[in-house]
């Protein structure tokens, strides 16, 4: 290192020091404390008894835990595939400029920027078994269903409502990320592929898709990471859909409160999340 | 193999007409160079032949087919782009054989053709690399390889050498010439560089402002330009254009009187009244000769006592600037003429090389 680089490095450390301190206090400390808690039987009055890995054993023998994993897997699969495909489709459609593209863009972004709680109420109203428009549409108007049903009330169908809600709310961010890459692909490449004899489908697979590889991988992994932890959307819309964060919440704060067990759940989830993040940084971003 | 016909091609972008009516026929196997300054419509014309732009009106015929509504992928053409347009995710090998995969050529044949092309363009060492790892010249060769391997009916080149340094450019120019001689495919080549046009073309098409200013062999456009634009665009240094007056018996330039009878390359033979008519006189710098080395004959004219303003030595040649009828005029002399600034010189010109242009319309007389 030259003296100049050393000085730059020292200055850099000074700049990031406050951030490191705050992150350490607000993230690293609770994280470690959570790992610590997972080895204790925690009482509400604050007294703790060391139990070793008993919480983990209890958790892994709990069938509800496995059902939460299954629910989370379906939720992840549905939302990640759905948002990515919908985002890609919208980006491809809206790639070329046309009259009113700005308005369409704004309309697409709306669900993403709207507050969760307000749109959740809207969705609950849509799916209401008595006065909701969905039941009206499928039962009264189209006659596809024989009777009105409470789609959010039934945990099995509620999962798919929650998936649909997430796709609707988060496809815009996928759309935005994909579109920004899409418009930067040079026209030359498409022209060369056309000259080489490839029609629109060949050009999509040989020019567009390879160019989008990085951004698609980013969208998929970011969606996985975000949605593994997604709490508020699911809990507010359909609290009966027990994905892992909600399962953990019920363990920690409702019924027979077991914060040690909840902590153990979180630790396992953190492990899975770390693998996703490692994969994203190493394999996709290639740091 | 294919001949091409362009019939009254017009192309407008919105209200802006770029190509304003081009008629051109290109014979099977011919190497045609479209040349002109930027904005003259040459690239647009090429892109219409390729099918990358749709003509606003007019017909394009390739071989027997009117291709107006045929997509580029169905025209069986190969094209070299100015920026090469290689596929960044594919290796050099995949870039080159990409079109053959689409054509479902069998693997043995692909390998044979790849070997042939990569040997010709010296690409063997590069086949497994990605375009990002290549130099500009190497990318250019890959782009050439991708076009050649097609064995397409028609080769299109869109300023393929403009991103190369001058040494590499002249090398690749020679290579393109050799490749054309070897395969003899119909080729259309766009450039703004008149040297490329002169050296490569069977037929040069000079475009100006959306129209064809002149089409002909390189020597035709060089020796017999149809108008002042072509005269000045083709040839380097460009042709001197000097104001003059044509009388019945002689051409007056400054105070020199050139006998009209010997201006054998002037078509205008009508009787001219006493005031004479104003004309533009065109003389190429290459056609001035040092009178000390070049004996005066009946068919030459000697511009005596010219005052040299500037000498630009180029090695074998030197460009000499002097004043004639108020214009800075250039002559190209070789190293035998030993000259100094401010010296006077006599320059001889063959009268058959003196061209006249209408002073209003700029057209040849």
């Amino acid at each position: 290192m030259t003296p100049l680089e050393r000085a730059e490095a020292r200055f850099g450390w000074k700049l990031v020091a406050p951030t490191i301190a705050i992150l350490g206090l607000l993230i690293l400390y609770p994280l470690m404390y959570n790992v610590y808690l997972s080895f204790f039987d925690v009482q509400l009055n604050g007294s703790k008894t060391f139990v070793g890995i008993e919480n983990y054993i209890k958790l892994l023998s709990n069938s509800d835990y496995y059902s939460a994993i299954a629910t989370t897997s379906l939720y992840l699969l549905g939302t990640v595939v759905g948002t990515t495909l919908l985002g890609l489709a919208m980006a491809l459609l809206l790639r070329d400029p046309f009259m009113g593209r700005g308005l369409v863009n704004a309309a697409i972004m709306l669900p993403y920027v709207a507050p969760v709680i307000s749109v959740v109420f809207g969705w609950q109203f849509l799916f209401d078994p008595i006065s909701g428009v969905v039941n009206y549409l499928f039962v009264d108007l189209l006659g596809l269903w024989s009777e009105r049903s409470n789609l959010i009330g039934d945990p099995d169908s509620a999962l798919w409502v929650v998936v649909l809600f997430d796709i609707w709310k988060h496809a815009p961010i996928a759309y935005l990320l994909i579109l920004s890459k899409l418009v930067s692909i040079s026209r030359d490449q498409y022209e060369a592929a056309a000259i080489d004899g490839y029609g629109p489908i060949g050009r999509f697979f040989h020019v567009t898709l390879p160019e989008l590889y990085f951004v698609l991988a980013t969208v998929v992994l970011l969606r996985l990471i975000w949605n593994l932890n997604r709490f508020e959307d699911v809990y507010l819309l359909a609290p009966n859909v027990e994905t892992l964060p909600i399962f953990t919440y019920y363990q920690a704060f409702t019924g027979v409160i077991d914060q040690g067990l909840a902590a153990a759940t979180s630790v396992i989830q953190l492990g899975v999340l770390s693998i996703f993040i490692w994969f994203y940084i190493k394999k996709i971003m290639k740091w | 193999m294919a001949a091409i016909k362009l019939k009254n091609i017009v192309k407008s972008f919105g209200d802006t007409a770029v190509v304003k009516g081009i008629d051109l026929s290109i014979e099977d196997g011919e190497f045609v160079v479209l040349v002109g300054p930027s904005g003259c419509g040459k690239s647009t014309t090429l892109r219409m032949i390729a099918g990358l732009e749709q003509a606003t009106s007019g017909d394009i015929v390739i071989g027997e087919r009117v291709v107006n509504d045929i997509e580029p992928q169905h025209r069986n053409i190969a094209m070299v782009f100015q920026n090469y347009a290689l596929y960044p995710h594919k290796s050099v090998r995949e870039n080159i054989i990409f079109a053959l995969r689409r054509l479902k050529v069998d693997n043995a044949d692909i390998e044979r053709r790849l070997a042939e092309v990569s040997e010709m363009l010296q690409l063997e060492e590069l086949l497994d690399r990605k375009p990002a790892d290549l130099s500009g010249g190497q990318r250019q060769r890959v782009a050439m390889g991708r076009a050649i391997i097609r064995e397409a009916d028609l080769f299109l080149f869109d300023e393929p050498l403009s991103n190369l340094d001058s040494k590499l450019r002249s090398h690749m120019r020679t290579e393109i010439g050799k490749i054309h001689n070897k395969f003899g495919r119909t080729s259309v080549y766009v450039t703004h560089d008149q040297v490329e046009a002169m050296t490569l073309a069977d037929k040069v098409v000079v475009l100006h402002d959306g129209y064809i200013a002149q089409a002909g062999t390189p020597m035709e456009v060089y020796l017999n330009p149809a108008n002042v634009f072509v005269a000045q665009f083709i040839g380097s240094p460009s042709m001197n254009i000097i104001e003059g007056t044509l009388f019945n018996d002689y051409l007056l330039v400054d105070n020199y009187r050139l006998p009209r009878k010997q201006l054998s390359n002037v078509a205008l033979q009508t009787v001219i009244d006493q005031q004479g008519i104003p004309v533009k006189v065109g003389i190429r710098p290459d056609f001035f000769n040092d009178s000390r080395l070049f004996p005066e004959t009946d068919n030459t004219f000697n511009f005596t006592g010219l005052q040299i303003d500037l000498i630009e030595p180029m090695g074998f040649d030197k460009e000499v600037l002097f004043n004639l009828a108020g214009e800075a005029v250039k002559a190209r002399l070789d190293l035998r003429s030993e000259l100094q600034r401010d010296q006077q010189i006599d320059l001889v010109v063959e009268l058959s090389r003196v061209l006249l242009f209408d002073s209003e319309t700029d057209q040849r007389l």
Side-chain angles (χ1 to χ4, degrees), chain B residues 4 23-27 30-35 180 187-189 196-198 200-206 212 214-221:
Chain B
I4 306 172
D23 281 287
L24 180 64
S25 59
I26 297 168
E27 280 164 38
E30 201 173 18
F31 198 115
V32 170
V33 176
L34 306 180
V35 64
H180 177 70
S187 303
V188 184
Y189 186 108
E196 283 172 29
M198 293 291 287
L200 286 171
D202 295 321
K203 177 156 76 191
V204 175
V205 177
V206 185
I212 293 180
Q214 188 174 3
T217 66
M219 287 320 279
E220 270 166 23
V221 292

Coordinates of all heavy atoms in Angstrom, one line a residue, chain B residues 4 23-27 30-35 180 187-189 196-198 200-206 212 214-221:
Chain B
I4 N -29.2 -7.5 -57.4 CA -30.1 -6.7 -56.6 C -30.6 -5.5 -57.4 O -29.9 -4.9 -58.2 CB -29.4 -6.1 -55.4 CG1 -28.7 -7.2 -54.6 CG2 -30.4 -5.3 -54.5 CD1 -27.8 -6.6 -53.5
D23 N -32.5 4.6 -57.5 CA -32.6 3.5 -58.5 C -31.2 3.0 -58.7 O -30.3 3.7 -59.0 CB -33.1 4.1 -59.8 CG -34.6 4.3 -59.8 OD1 -35.4 3.3 -59.8 OD2 -35.0 5.5 -59.7
L24 N -31.1 1.7 -58.5 CA -29.7 1.1 -58.6 C -29.8 -0.3 -58.9 O -30.7 -1.0 -58.4 CB -29.0 1.3 -57.2 CG -27.6 0.7 -57.1 CD1 -26.7 1.5 -58.0 CD2 -27.1 0.8 -55.7
S25 N -29.0 -0.8 -59.9 CA -29.0 -2.2 -60.1 C -27.6 -2.7 -59.9 O -26.6 -2.1 -60.3 CB -29.6 -2.7 -61.4 OG -29.2 -2.3 -62.4
I26 N -27.5 -3.8 -59.1 CA -26.3 -4.4 -58.7 C -26.3 -5.8 -59.3 O -27.2 -6.6 -59.1 CB -26.2 -4.5 -57.2 CG1 -26.2 -3.1 -56.6 CG2 -24.9 -5.3 -56.8 CD1 -26.3 -3.0 -55.1
E27 N -25.2 -6.1 -60.1 CA -25.2 -7.4 -60.8 C -24.7 -8.5 -59.9 O -24.0 -8.2 -58.9 CB -24.3 -7.3 -62.0 CG -25.0 -6.6 -63.2 CD -24.0 -6.2 -64.2 OE1 -23.0 -6.9 -64.5 OE2 -24.2 -5.1 -64.8
E30 N -21.1 -8.6 -58.2 CA -20.5 -7.3 -58.2 C -20.2 -6.8 -56.8 O -20.9 -7.1 -55.9 CB -21.5 -6.3 -58.9 CG -20.8 -5.1 -59.5 CD -21.7 -4.3 -60.3 OE1 -23.0 -4.4 -60.2 OE2 -21.2 -3.4 -61.1
F31 N -19.1 -6.1 -56.7 CA -18.8 -5.4 -55.4 C -19.1 -3.9 -55.5 O -18.4 -3.2 -56.3 CB -17.3 -5.6 -55.1 CG -16.9 -5.4 -53.6 CD1 -16.5 -6.4 -52.8 CD2 -17.1 -4.1 -53.1 CE1 -16.2 -6.2 -51.5 CE2 -16.8 -3.9 -51.7 CZ -16.3 -4.9 -50.9
V32 N -20.2 -3.5 -54.9 CA -20.6 -2.1 -55.0 C -20.4 -1.4 -53.7 O -20.6 -1.9 -52.6 CB -22.1 -2.1 -55.3 CG1 -22.7 -0.7 -55.2 CG2 -22.4 -2.6 -56.7
V33 N -19.8 -0.2 -53.8 CA -19.5 0.6 -52.6 C -20.4 1.8 -52.6 O -20.4 2.5 -53.6 CB -18.0 1.0 -52.5 CG1 -17.8 1.9 -51.3 CG2 -17.1 -0.2 -52.4
L34 N -21.2 1.9 -51.5 CA -22.0 3.1 -51.4 C -21.1 4.1 -50.5 O -20.8 3.8 -49.4 CB -23.3 2.9 -50.6 CG -24.2 1.8 -51.2 CD1 -25.4 1.6 -50.3 CD2 -24.6 2.1 -52.6
V35 N -20.8 5.3 -51.1 CA -20.0 6.2 -50.4 C -20.6 7.5 -50.3 O -21.3 7.9 -51.2 CB -18.6 6.2 -51.1 CG1 -18.6 6.7 -52.5 CG2 -17.5 6.9 -50.2
H180 N -13.3 -11.2 -51.4 CA -14.3 -11.1 -52.5 C -13.8 -11.7 -53.8 O -14.6 -12.4 -54.4 CB -14.6 -9.6 -52.8 CG -15.5 -9.4 -53.9 ND1 -16.8 -9.7 -53.8 CD2 -15.3 -8.9 -55.2 CE1 -17.4 -9.5 -55.0 NE2 -16.5 -9.0 -55.8
S187 N -21.7 -8.1 -53.2 CA -21.4 -7.4 -52.0 C -21.8 -6.0 -52.1 O -21.6 -5.3 -53.1 CB -19.9 -7.5 -51.7 OG -19.4 -8.8 -51.7
V188 N -22.3 -5.5 -51.0 CA -22.6 -4.0 -50.9 C -21.9 -3.5 -49.7 O -22.1 -4.1 -48.6 CB -24.2 -3.8 -50.8 CG1 -24.4 -2.3 -50.8 CG2 -24.9 -4.4 -51.9
Y189 N -21.1 -2.5 -49.9 CA -20.2 -2.0 -48.8 C -20.5 -0.5 -48.6 O -20.4 0.3 -49.6 CB -18.8 -2.3 -49.4 CG -17.7 -2.0 -48.4 CD1 -17.0 -3.1 -47.9 CD2 -17.3 -0.7 -48.1 CE1 -15.9 -2.9 -47.0 CE2 -16.2 -0.5 -47.3 CZ -15.5 -1.6 -46.7 OH -14.4 -1.4 -45.9
E196 N -11.4 3.5 -49.5 CA -12.0 2.2 -49.5 C -12.9 2.0 -50.7 O -12.8 1.0 -51.3 CB -12.8 2.0 -48.2 CG -12.0 1.7 -47.0 CD -12.9 1.7 -45.7 OE1 -14.0 1.4 -45.7 OE2 -12.3 2.0 -44.6
A197 N -13.6 3.0 -51.0 CA -14.5 3.0 -52.2 C -13.7 2.7 -53.5 O -14.0 1.8 -54.2 CB -15.3 4.3 -52.3
M198 N -12.6 3.5 -53.7 CA -11.8 3.4 -54.9 C -11.1 2.0 -55.0 O -11.1 1.4 -56.0 CB -10.7 4.5 -54.9 CG -11.2 5.9 -55.0 SD -11.9 6.2 -56.6 CE -10.4 6.3 -57.7
L200 N -11.8 -1.0 -53.4 CA -12.5 -2.2 -53.3 C -13.5 -2.4 -54.4 O -13.9 -3.5 -54.8 CB -13.2 -2.3 -52.0 CG -12.4 -2.6 -50.8 CD1 -13.2 -2.4 -49.5 CD2 -11.8 -4.0 -50.8
A201 N -14.1 -1.3 -54.9 CA -15.3 -1.4 -55.7 C -15.1 -1.8 -57.1 O -14.1 -1.5 -57.8 CB -16.0 0.0 -55.7
D202 N -16.1 -2.6 -57.6 CA -16.3 -2.7 -59.1 C -17.1 -1.5 -59.5 O -16.9 -1.0 -60.6 CB -17.1 -4.0 -59.4 CG -16.4 -5.2 -59.0 OD1 -15.2 -5.3 -59.2 OD2 -17.0 -6.2 -58.5
K203 N -18.0 -1.1 -58.6 CA -18.8 0.1 -58.9 C -19.0 0.9 -57.7 O -19.3 0.4 -56.6 CB -20.2 -0.4 -59.4 CG -21.2 0.8 -59.7 CD -22.3 0.4 -60.7 CE -23.4 -0.4 -60.0 NZ -24.3 -1.0 -61.0
V204 N -18.7 2.2 -57.9 CA -18.8 3.2 -56.8 C -20.1 3.9 -57.0 O -20.4 4.4 -58.1 CB -17.6 4.2 -56.8 CG1 -17.8 5.2 -55.7 CG2 -16.3 3.5 -56.6
V205 N -20.9 4.0 -55.9 CA -22.1 4.8 -55.9 C -22.0 5.9 -54.9 O -21.9 5.7 -53.7 CB -23.3 3.9 -55.6 CG1 -24.6 4.8 -55.6 CG2 -23.5 2.7 -56.5
V206 N -21.8 7.1 -55.5 CA -21.7 8.3 -54.6 C -23.0 8.8 -54.2 O -23.8 9.2 -55.1 CB -20.8 9.4 -55.2 CG1 -20.5 10.5 -54.3 CG2 -19.5 8.8 -55.8
I212 N -28.5 9.5 -55.5 CA -27.3 9.1 -56.1 C -26.7 10.2 -56.9 O -27.3 10.7 -57.9 CB -27.5 7.9 -57.0 CG1 -28.0 6.7 -56.2 CG2 -26.2 7.5 -57.8 CD1 -28.2 5.4 -57.0
Q214 N -23.7 10.0 -58.4 CA -23.1 9.4 -59.6 C -22.8 7.9 -59.2 O -22.4 7.6 -58.1 CB -21.8 10.0 -60.0 CG -21.2 9.5 -61.3 CD -20.0 10.3 -61.8 OE1 -19.5 11.2 -61.1 NE2 -19.5 9.9 -63.0
A215 N -22.9 7.0 -60.2 CA -22.6 5.6 -60.1 C -21.7 5.3 -61.2 O -22.0 5.6 -62.4 CB -23.8 4.7 -60.0
G216 N -20.6 4.6 -61.0 CA -19.7 4.2 -62.1 C -18.5 3.4 -61.5 O -18.4 3.2 -60.3
T217 N -17.6 3.0 -62.4 CA -16.4 2.4 -62.0 C -15.6 3.4 -61.2 O -15.8 4.6 -61.4 CB -15.6 1.8 -63.1 OG1 -15.1 3.0 -63.9 CG2 -16.4 0.9 -64.0
P218 N -14.6 3.0 -60.4 CA -13.8 3.9 -59.6 C -13.1 4.9 -60.6 O -13.1 6.1 -60.3 CB -12.8 3.1 -58.9 CG -13.5 1.8 -58.7 CD -14.4 1.6 -59.9
M219 N -12.6 4.5 -61.7 CA -11.9 5.4 -62.6 C -12.9 6.4 -63.3 O -12.5 7.5 -63.5 CB -11.1 4.6 -63.6 CG -9.9 4.0 -63.1 SD -9.0 5.0 -61.9 CE -8.0 6.1 -63.0
E220 N -14.1 5.9 -63.6 CA -15.1 6.8 -64.1 C -15.4 8.0 -63.2 O -15.4 9.1 -63.6 CB -16.4 6.1 -64.4 CG -16.5 5.5 -65.8 CD -17.6 4.5 -66.0 OE1 -18.6 4.6 -65.2 OE2 -17.5 3.7 -66.8
V221 N -15.7 7.6 -61.9 CA -16.0 8.7 -61.0 C -14.8 9.6 -60.7 O -14.9 10.8 -60.4 CB -16.7 8.2 -59.7 CG1 -18.0 7.6 -59.9 CG2 -15.8 7.3 -58.9

